[in-house]
Structure formats: structure tokens, C-alpha cells
Amino acid sequence: TGGHVAHPLTLSIANIQMNVRNKGLSRAFMMIALLPCPKFIAPQKLITLLENRVIHQCLDIVCYPLKKAATYGRMMTDPMGHVRFGFTPLASYIADLPEALMLAAVSSSASPITHATKSQFGDAERCLTRTGQSTPMNIARLAEEYPDPTQDPSDYLKSAKTFHLN
């Protein structure tokens, strides 16, 4: 590989039976992109921030056609050969906990699924579910405080932690 490393991003469709989809030889998943694993020379906390931004930017570029098809629809051929107008929402994304935290843009002291923080983990009372609007709202509030995070990255990261953002 010449020392090059990348994360494969694969895609499948929901109507393939699980026992078929989970077999490696069934070719039920298609690789749609290789996400880069960049190397940065900076303090570790800043490296994590930069790596997360690169992955989010790449996912935004790669998933743009999927987002467009989910929002506006697209003409597609069904298995019988008929052309139909279809919408393709992203139904699920399989990730381990560190990847889920990175994708949800939340710190390791918060849940990627709910608004629970480390002190609330294990409580009997369920916290509010994290939605697609809450994280961008917190990012916007942080951006008001720090319009240019490169000016003082360490203060920016400290402030991000108060919003439970990574």
C-alpha cells in the first residue's frame, strides 16, 4: 500500500435479507469511497479536531447525492424493470462507539444517542434523544463565541467541551 491508509465506506440496501447481507461472498455491500486517514503535526487535541473535520467534510461530499435523492427523489428502475420515482433515505449507519461519537460530533463524556452526560450514564431516567437539530445548534452557538477557531484552538476546544462537542 505504500504506507497509505484509508477507511472504506460501504453501502447496502435494506431489502436484502440479513443472512444474505452478512455473508462476505454475497457482495451485498458496495464500497463507495475510501475516507482518508490524514496525519497532522499539532498538539493531540487539535489533531483529533482536524481529523474529525476532514472525515465530516468527506462524508458530506460522498453522501451529497444520497441526501439530494432523499430530499427531492430520483427516477429509479425497480426489479421488474419499471421506472419509478423513489426516495432513498439513509436508514442506518453501523459504527463502533468512538466512530459514533465522532459522527455525532459529541465528546467522549456524552452519549451519541441521547443528551446524557457521563454523570447521568446508568441512571434509570432516560434523557432526551439527540436529534439532527441539537448538535448543529450547539455548533452555531460555539461559532458565535469563536468565529475563527484557529486564532486560539485551546480555548475553542475548552468551550466546545462545555457544549459536549468534540
Side-chain angles (χ1 to χ4, degrees), residues 33-108:
L34 288 170
L35 302 178
C37 298
K39 301 283 185 222
F40 295 101
I41 301 170
Q44 184 56 46
K45 287 183 178 183
L46 190 56
I47 288 174
T48 304
L49 173 76
L50 294 171
E51 288 172 348
N52 291 349
R53 284 189 170 206
V54 167
I55 293 295
H56 277 108
Q57 187 66 35
C58 291
L59 283 172
D60 200 38
I61 292 167
V62 170
C63 294
Y64 178 76
L66 296 172
K67 292 186 225 177
K68 198 170 175 187
T71 304
Y72 304 110
R74 183 170 179 132
M75 298 304 287
M76 299 177 193
T77 307
D78 69 10
M80 301 299 289
H82 301 107
V83 178
R84 300 178 188 272
F85 195 60
F87 294 82
T88 57
L90 181 62
S92 68
Y93 189 102
I94 301 169
D96 58 5
L97 182 60
E99 189 177 9
L101 290 168
M102 186 267 303
L103 291 171
V106 296
S107 67
S108 59

Coordinates of all heavy atoms in Angstrom, one line a residue, residues 33-108:
A33 N -16.5 4.7 -1.2 CA -15.5 5.7 -1.0 C -14.4 5.2 -0.1 O -14.7 4.3 0.7 CB -16.0 7.0 -0.5
L34 N -13.2 5.7 -0.2 CA -12.1 5.5 0.7 C -11.9 6.8 1.5 O -11.5 7.8 0.8 CB -10.9 5.0 0.1 CG -10.9 3.6 -0.5 CD1 -9.7 3.3 -1.4 CD2 -11.0 2.6 0.6
L35 N -12.3 6.8 2.7 CA -12.1 8.1 3.5 C -10.6 8.2 4.0 O -10.1 7.2 4.5 CB -13.0 8.1 4.7 CG -14.5 8.0 4.3 CD1 -15.4 7.9 5.6 CD2 -15.0 9.1 3.4
P36 N -10.0 9.3 3.9 CA -8.6 9.4 4.2 C -8.4 9.4 5.7 O -9.2 9.7 6.5 CB -8.2 10.8 3.7 CG -9.5 11.6 3.7 CD -10.6 10.6 3.4
C37 N -7.2 9.0 6.1 CA -6.7 9.0 7.5 C -5.5 10.0 7.5 O -4.3 9.5 7.4 CB -6.2 7.6 7.9 SG -7.5 6.4 7.9
P38 N -5.8 11.3 7.6 CA -4.7 12.2 7.4 C -3.8 12.2 8.7 O -4.2 11.9 9.8 CB -5.4 13.6 7.3 CG -6.7 13.3 8.0 CD -7.1 11.9 7.8
K39 N -2.6 12.7 8.5 CA -1.6 12.8 9.6 C -1.3 14.3 9.7 O -1.1 15.0 8.7 CB -0.3 12.1 9.2 CG -0.4 10.6 9.0 CD -0.6 9.9 10.3 CE -0.6 8.4 10.1 NZ -1.6 7.7 10.8
F40 N -1.5 14.8 10.9 CA -1.2 16.3 11.2 C -0.1 16.4 12.2 O 0.1 15.5 13.1 CB -2.5 16.9 11.8 CG -3.6 17.0 10.8 CD1 -4.7 16.0 10.9 CD2 -3.7 17.9 9.8 CE1 -5.7 16.1 10.0 CE2 -4.7 17.9 8.9 CZ -5.8 17.0 9.0
I41 N 0.6 17.5 12.1 CA 1.7 17.8 13.1 C 1.1 18.9 14.0 O 1.2 20.1 13.5 CB 3.0 18.1 12.4 CG1 3.5 17.0 11.5 CG2 4.0 18.5 13.5 CD1 4.6 17.4 10.7
A42 N 0.6 18.6 15.1 CA 0.0 19.6 16.0 C -0.2 18.9 17.4 O 0.0 17.7 17.5 CB -1.3 20.0 15.4
P43 N -0.6 19.7 18.4 CA -1.0 19.0 19.7 C -2.1 18.0 19.5 O -3.0 18.2 18.6 CB -1.5 20.2 20.5 CG -0.8 21.4 19.9 CD -0.7 21.1 18.4
Q44 N -2.1 16.9 20.3 CA -3.1 15.8 20.1 C -4.5 16.3 20.1 O -5.3 15.8 19.2 CB -2.9 14.8 21.2 CG -3.8 13.5 21.0 CD -3.6 12.8 19.7 OE1 -2.5 12.6 19.2 NE2 -4.7 12.5 19.0
K45 N -4.9 17.2 20.9 CA -6.3 17.6 21.0 C -6.7 18.3 19.6 O -7.8 18.1 19.1 CB -6.6 18.5 22.1 CG -6.6 17.8 23.4 CD -7.0 18.8 24.6 CE -7.0 18.0 25.9 NZ -7.4 18.9 27.0
L46 N -5.8 19.0 19.1 CA -6.0 19.7 17.8 C -6.0 18.7 16.7 O -6.8 18.9 15.7 CB -5.0 20.8 17.6 CG -5.2 21.8 16.4 CD1 -6.6 22.4 16.6 CD2 -4.1 22.8 16.4
I47 N -5.2 17.7 16.8 CA -5.2 16.7 15.7 C -6.5 16.0 15.6 O -7.1 15.8 14.5 CB -4.1 15.6 16.0 CG1 -2.7 16.3 15.7 CG2 -4.2 14.4 15.1 CD1 -1.5 15.4 16.1
T48 N -7.1 15.6 16.8 CA -8.4 15.0 16.8 C -9.5 15.9 16.1 O -10.3 15.4 15.3 CB -8.8 14.7 18.2 OG1 -7.8 13.9 18.8 CG2 -10.2 13.9 18.3
L49 N -9.5 17.2 16.5 CA -10.4 18.1 15.9 C -10.2 18.2 14.4 O -11.2 18.1 13.6 CB -10.2 19.5 16.5 CG -11.0 20.7 15.8 CD1 -12.4 20.6 16.3 CD2 -10.3 22.0 16.2
L50 N -9.0 18.2 13.9 CA -8.7 18.3 12.4 C -9.1 17.0 11.7 O -9.7 17.1 10.6 CB -7.2 18.6 12.2 CG -6.8 20.0 12.7 CD1 -5.3 20.1 12.6 CD2 -7.4 21.1 11.9
E51 N -8.8 15.9 12.3 CA -9.2 14.6 11.7 C -10.7 14.5 11.6 O -11.2 14.1 10.6 CB -8.7 13.4 12.6 CG -7.2 13.3 12.5 CD -6.6 12.2 13.4 OE1 -7.3 11.8 14.4 OE2 -5.5 11.8 13.3
N52 N -11.4 14.9 12.7 CA -12.9 14.8 12.6 C -13.5 15.7 11.5 O -14.4 15.4 10.8 CB -13.5 15.2 14.0 CG -13.2 14.1 15.0 OD1 -12.7 13.0 14.7 ND2 -13.4 14.5 16.3
R53 N -12.9 16.9 11.4 CA -13.4 17.8 10.4 C -13.2 17.3 9.0 O -14.0 17.4 8.1 CB -12.7 19.2 10.5 CG -13.3 20.0 11.7 CD -12.8 21.4 11.7 NE -13.6 22.1 12.7 CZ -13.7 23.4 12.6 NH1 -13.2 24.1 11.6 NH2 -14.4 24.1 13.5
V54 N -12.0 16.6 8.8 CA -11.7 16.1 7.4 C -12.7 14.9 7.1 O -13.3 14.9 6.0 CB -10.3 15.5 7.4 CG1 -10.1 14.6 6.1 CG2 -9.3 16.7 7.3
I55 N -13.0 14.1 8.1 CA -14.0 13.0 7.9 C -15.3 13.5 7.6 O -16.0 13.1 6.7 CB -14.0 12.0 9.1 CG1 -12.6 11.3 9.2 CG2 -15.1 11.0 9.0 CD1 -12.3 10.3 8.0
H56 N -15.8 14.5 8.4 CA -17.1 15.1 8.2 C -17.2 15.7 6.8 O -18.2 15.6 6.1 CB -17.5 16.1 9.3 CG -18.0 15.5 10.5 ND1 -17.3 15.4 11.7 CD2 -19.2 14.8 10.8 CE1 -18.0 14.8 12.6 NE2 -19.2 14.4 12.1
Q57 N -16.2 16.4 6.4 CA -16.2 17.1 5.1 C -16.3 16.0 4.0 O -17.0 16.1 3.0 CB -15.0 18.0 4.9 CG -15.0 18.8 3.6 CD -16.1 19.8 3.6 OE1 -16.4 20.4 4.6 NE2 -16.7 20.0 2.4
C58 N -15.5 14.9 4.1 CA -15.5 13.9 3.1 C -16.9 13.2 3.1 O -17.4 12.9 2.0 CB -14.4 12.8 3.4 SG -12.7 13.5 3.1
L59 N -17.4 12.9 4.2 CA -18.8 12.2 4.3 C -19.8 13.1 3.6 O -20.7 12.7 2.9 CB -19.2 11.9 5.7 CG -18.5 10.6 6.3 CD1 -18.8 10.5 7.8 CD2 -18.9 9.4 5.5
D60 N -19.7 14.5 3.9 CA -20.6 15.4 3.3 C -20.6 15.4 1.7 O -21.6 15.4 1.0 CB -20.4 16.8 3.8 CG -21.5 17.7 3.6 OD1 -22.7 17.3 3.8 OD2 -21.3 18.9 3.3
I61 N -19.3 15.3 1.2 CA -19.1 15.3 -0.2 C -19.7 13.9 -0.8 O -20.4 13.9 -1.8 CB -17.7 15.5 -0.6 CG1 -17.2 16.9 -0.3 CG2 -17.4 15.1 -2.1 CD1 -15.7 17.1 -0.3
V62 N -19.3 12.8 -0.2 CA -19.7 11.5 -0.7 C -21.2 11.3 -0.6 O -21.8 10.7 -1.5 CB -18.9 10.4 0.1 CG1 -19.4 9.0 -0.3 CG2 -17.4 10.5 -0.3
C63 N -21.8 11.7 0.5 CA -23.2 11.5 0.7 C -24.1 12.5 0.1 O -25.4 12.4 0.2 CB -23.5 11.3 2.2 SG -22.7 9.9 3.0
Y64 N -23.6 13.5 -0.5 CA -24.4 14.6 -1.1 C -25.4 14.0 -2.1 O -26.6 14.4 -2.0 CB -23.5 15.7 -1.8 CG -24.3 16.7 -2.5 CD1 -24.9 17.7 -1.7 CD2 -24.5 16.7 -3.9 CE1 -25.7 18.7 -2.3 CE2 -25.2 17.7 -4.5 CZ -25.8 18.7 -3.7 OH -26.6 19.7 -4.3
P65 N -25.1 13.1 -3.0 CA -26.1 12.6 -3.9 C -27.2 11.8 -3.2 O -28.4 11.9 -3.6 CB -25.3 11.7 -4.9 CG -23.9 12.1 -4.8 CD -23.7 12.7 -3.4
L66 N -26.8 11.1 -2.1 CA -27.8 10.4 -1.3 C -28.8 11.4 -0.6 O -30.0 11.2 -0.6 CB -27.1 9.5 -0.3 CG -26.3 8.4 -0.8 CD1 -25.5 7.7 0.3 CD2 -27.1 7.4 -1.5
K67 N -28.2 12.5 -0.1 CA -29.1 13.5 0.6 C -30.0 14.1 -0.4 O -31.2 14.4 -0.1 CB -28.2 14.5 1.2 CG -27.4 14.1 2.4 CD -26.7 15.3 3.0 CE -25.3 15.0 3.4 NZ -24.6 16.1 3.9
K68 N -29.5 14.4 -1.6 CA -30.3 15.0 -2.6 C -31.4 14.1 -3.1 O -32.6 14.5 -3.2 CB -29.4 15.4 -3.8 CG -30.0 16.4 -4.8 CD -28.9 16.8 -5.8 CE -29.5 17.7 -6.8 NZ -28.6 18.1 -7.8
A69 N -31.1 12.8 -3.3 CA -32.1 11.8 -3.6 C -33.2 11.6 -2.6 O -34.4 11.5 -2.8 CB -31.5 10.5 -4.0
A70 N -32.8 11.7 -1.3 CA -33.7 11.5 -0.2 C -34.6 12.7 -0.1 O -35.8 12.6 0.3 CB -33.0 11.3 1.1
T71 N -34.1 13.9 -0.4 CA -34.9 15.1 -0.3 C -35.9 15.3 -1.5 O -37.0 15.6 -1.3 CB -34.0 16.3 -0.1 OG1 -33.2 16.1 1.0 CG2 -34.8 17.6 0.1
Y72 N -35.3 15.2 -2.7 CA -36.0 15.6 -3.9 C -36.5 14.4 -4.7 O -37.3 14.5 -5.6 CB -35.2 16.4 -4.8 CG -34.7 17.7 -4.1 CD1 -33.3 17.8 -3.8 CD2 -35.6 18.7 -3.8 CE1 -32.9 19.0 -3.2 CE2 -35.1 19.8 -3.1 CZ -33.8 20.0 -2.8 OH -33.3 21.1 -2.2
G73 N -36.0 13.2 -4.4 CA -36.4 12.0 -5.1 C -35.6 11.8 -6.4 O -34.8 12.7 -6.8
R74 N -35.7 10.6 -7.0 CA -34.9 10.3 -8.2 C -35.6 9.2 -8.9 O -36.2 8.3 -8.3 CB -33.5 9.9 -7.7 CG -32.6 9.6 -8.9 CD -31.2 9.4 -8.4 NE -30.5 9.1 -9.6 CZ -29.4 9.7 -9.9 NH1 -28.8 10.6 -9.1 NH2 -28.7 9.4 -11.0
M75 N -35.5 9.2 -10.2 CA -36.1 8.2 -11.0 C -35.2 6.9 -10.9 O -34.0 7.0 -11.1 CB -36.2 8.6 -12.5 CG -37.2 9.8 -12.7 SD -38.8 9.5 -12.1 CE -39.5 8.4 -13.3
M76 N -35.8 5.8 -10.6 CA -35.1 4.5 -10.4 C -35.8 3.4 -11.0 O -37.1 3.4 -11.2 CB -35.0 4.2 -8.9 CG -34.3 5.3 -8.1 SD -34.3 4.8 -6.4 CE -33.7 6.3 -5.7
T77 N -35.1 2.4 -11.4 CA -35.7 1.2 -12.0 C -35.9 0.1 -10.9 O -34.9 -0.2 -10.1 CB -34.7 0.6 -13.1 OG1 -34.4 1.6 -14.0 CG2 -35.3 -0.5 -13.8
D78 N -37.1 -0.4 -10.8 CA -37.3 -1.5 -9.8 C -36.9 -2.8 -10.4 O -36.5 -2.9 -11.6 CB -38.8 -1.5 -9.4 CG -39.8 -1.9 -10.5 OD1 -39.3 -2.4 -11.5 OD2 -41.0 -1.7 -10.3
P79 N -37.0 -3.9 -9.6 CA -36.5 -5.2 -10.1 C -37.3 -5.7 -11.3 O -36.8 -6.6 -12.1 CB -36.7 -6.1 -8.9 CG -36.7 -5.2 -7.7 CD -37.3 -3.9 -8.2
M80 N -38.5 -5.2 -11.6 CA -39.3 -5.7 -12.7 C -39.0 -4.9 -14.0 O -39.6 -5.1 -15.0 CB -40.8 -5.6 -12.4 CG -41.2 -6.4 -11.2 SD -40.9 -8.2 -11.4 CE -42.2 -8.5 -12.6
G81 N -38.1 -3.8 -13.8 CA -37.8 -3.0 -15.0 C -38.6 -1.8 -15.2 O -38.4 -1.0 -16.1
H82 N -39.5 -1.5 -14.2 CA -40.4 -0.3 -14.3 C -39.6 0.9 -13.7 O -38.9 0.7 -12.7 CB -41.7 -0.5 -13.5 CG -42.5 -1.7 -14.1 ND1 -42.6 -2.8 -13.4 CD2 -43.2 -1.8 -15.2 CE1 -43.4 -3.7 -14.1 NE2 -43.7 -3.0 -15.2
V83 N -39.7 2.0 -14.3 CA -39.1 3.2 -13.8 C -40.0 3.9 -12.9 O -41.2 4.2 -13.2 CB -38.6 4.1 -15.0 CG1 -38.0 5.4 -14.4 CG2 -37.7 3.4 -15.9
R84 N -39.6 4.2 -11.7 CA -40.4 4.8 -10.6 C -39.7 5.9 -10.0 O -38.5 6.0 -10.0 CB -40.8 3.8 -9.5 CG -41.5 2.6 -10.1 CD -41.8 1.6 -9.0 NE -42.4 0.4 -9.5 CZ -43.7 0.2 -9.7 NH1 -44.6 1.1 -9.4 NH2 -44.1 -1.0 -10.1
F85 N -40.5 6.9 -9.4 CA -39.9 8.0 -8.7 C -39.7 7.5 -7.2 O -40.6 7.1 -6.6 CB -40.9 9.2 -8.7 CG -40.3 10.5 -8.3 CD1 -39.2 11.0 -9.0 CD2 -40.8 11.2 -7.3 CE1 -38.6 12.2 -8.6 CE2 -40.3 12.4 -6.9 CZ -39.2 12.9 -7.6
G86 N -38.4 7.5 -6.8 CA -38.2 7.0 -5.4 C -37.3 7.9 -4.6 O -36.7 8.8 -5.1
F87 N -37.5 7.7 -3.3 CA -36.7 8.5 -2.3 C -35.8 7.5 -1.5 O -36.3 6.4 -1.2 CB -37.6 9.2 -1.3 CG -38.4 10.2 -2.0 CD1 -39.6 9.9 -2.7 CD2 -38.0 11.6 -1.9 CE1 -40.3 10.9 -3.3 CE2 -38.8 12.6 -2.6 CZ -39.9 12.2 -3.3
T88 N -34.6 7.8 -1.3 CA -33.6 6.9 -0.7 C -33.1 7.5 0.6 O -31.9 8.0 0.7 CB -32.5 6.6 -1.6 OG1 -31.9 7.9 -2.0 CG2 -32.9 5.9 -2.9
P89 N -33.8 7.4 1.7 CA -33.3 7.9 3.0 C -32.2 6.9 3.5 O -32.2 5.7 3.3 CB -34.5 7.8 3.9 CG -35.4 6.8 3.4 CD -35.2 6.8 1.9
L90 N -31.2 7.5 4.2 CA -30.2 6.7 4.9 C -30.9 6.1 6.1 O -31.3 6.8 7.0 CB -29.0 7.5 5.3 CG -27.9 6.8 6.0 CD1 -27.3 5.7 5.0 CD2 -26.8 7.8 6.4
A91 N -31.1 4.8 6.2 CA -31.8 4.1 7.2 C -30.9 3.8 8.4 O -31.4 3.9 9.6 CB -32.4 2.8 6.7
S92 N -29.7 3.5 8.3 CA -28.8 3.2 9.4 C -27.4 3.4 9.0 O -27.0 3.4 7.8 CB -29.1 1.8 9.9 OG -28.6 0.9 8.9
Y93 N -26.6 3.5 10.0 CA -25.1 3.7 9.9 C -24.5 2.8 11.0 O -24.8 3.0 12.1 CB -24.7 5.1 10.0 CG -23.3 5.4 9.6 CD1 -23.0 6.0 8.4 CD2 -22.2 5.1 10.5 CE1 -21.7 6.3 8.0 CE2 -20.9 5.4 10.1 CZ -20.6 6.0 8.9 OH -19.4 6.2 8.6
I94 N -23.7 1.8 10.6 CA -23.1 0.9 11.6 C -21.7 1.5 12.0 O -20.9 1.8 11.1 CB -22.9 -0.5 11.0 CG1 -24.3 -1.0 10.6 CG2 -22.2 -1.4 12.0 CD1 -24.2 -2.3 9.8
A95 N -21.6 1.7 13.3 CA -20.3 2.3 13.8 C -20.1 1.8 15.2 O -21.0 1.5 16.0 CB -20.4 3.8 13.8
D96 N -18.8 1.7 15.6 CA -18.4 1.5 17.0 C -18.6 2.8 17.8 O -18.8 3.8 17.2 CB -17.1 0.8 17.1 CG -15.9 1.7 16.6 OD1 -16.2 2.8 16.2 OD2 -14.8 1.2 16.6
L97 N -18.4 2.7 19.1 CA -18.6 3.9 20.0 C -17.7 5.1 19.6 O -18.2 6.2 19.4 CB -18.5 3.5 21.4 CG -18.8 4.7 22.4 CD1 -20.2 5.2 22.2 CD2 -18.5 4.3 23.8
P98 N -16.4 4.9 19.4 CA -15.6 6.0 19.1 C -16.0 6.7 17.8 O -16.0 7.9 17.6 CB -14.2 5.5 19.0 CG -14.2 4.2 19.8 CD -15.6 3.7 19.7
E99 N -16.4 5.8 16.8 CA -16.8 6.4 15.5 C -18.2 7.1 15.6 O -18.4 8.1 15.0 CB -16.9 5.3 14.5 CG -17.1 5.8 13.1 CD -17.1 4.7 12.0 OE1 -17.1 3.5 12.4 OE2 -17.2 5.0 10.8
A100 N -19.1 6.5 16.4 CA -20.4 7.1 16.7 C -20.2 8.5 17.3 O -20.9 9.4 17.0 CB -21.3 6.2 17.5
L101 N -19.3 8.6 18.3 CA -19.1 9.9 19.0 C -18.6 10.9 18.0 O -19.0 12.0 18.0 CB -18.1 9.7 20.1 CG -18.6 8.9 21.3 CD1 -17.4 8.6 22.3 CD2 -19.6 9.7 22.1
M102 N -17.6 10.4 17.1 CA -17.1 11.4 16.1 C -18.1 11.8 15.1 O -18.2 13.0 14.8 CB -15.9 10.7 15.4 CG -15.2 11.5 14.4 SD -15.7 11.5 12.7 CE -15.6 9.8 12.3
L103 N -19.0 10.9 14.7 CA -20.0 11.2 13.7 C -21.1 12.1 14.3 O -21.6 13.0 13.6 CB -20.7 10.0 13.1 CG -19.8 9.1 12.2 CD1 -20.4 7.8 11.9 CD2 -19.4 9.9 11.0
A104 N -21.4 11.9 15.6 CA -22.4 12.7 16.2 C -21.8 14.1 16.7 O -22.5 14.9 17.2 CB -23.0 12.0 17.4
A105 N -20.5 14.2 16.6 CA -19.7 15.4 17.0 C -19.9 15.7 18.5 O -19.9 16.9 18.9 CB -20.2 16.6 16.1
V106 N -20.0 14.6 19.3 CA -20.0 14.8 20.7 C -18.8 14.3 21.4 O -18.1 13.4 20.9 CB -21.3 14.2 21.3 CG1 -22.6 14.8 20.8 CG2 -21.3 12.7 21.1
S107 N -18.5 14.8 22.6 CA -17.3 14.4 23.3 C -17.5 13.1 23.9 O -18.6 12.5 24.0 CB -17.0 15.5 24.4 OG -18.0 15.4 25.4
S108 N -16.4 12.5 24.4 CA -16.5 11.1 25.0 C -17.2 11.1 26.3 O -17.5 10.1 26.8 CB -15.1 10.6 25.1 OG -14.3 11.4 26.0

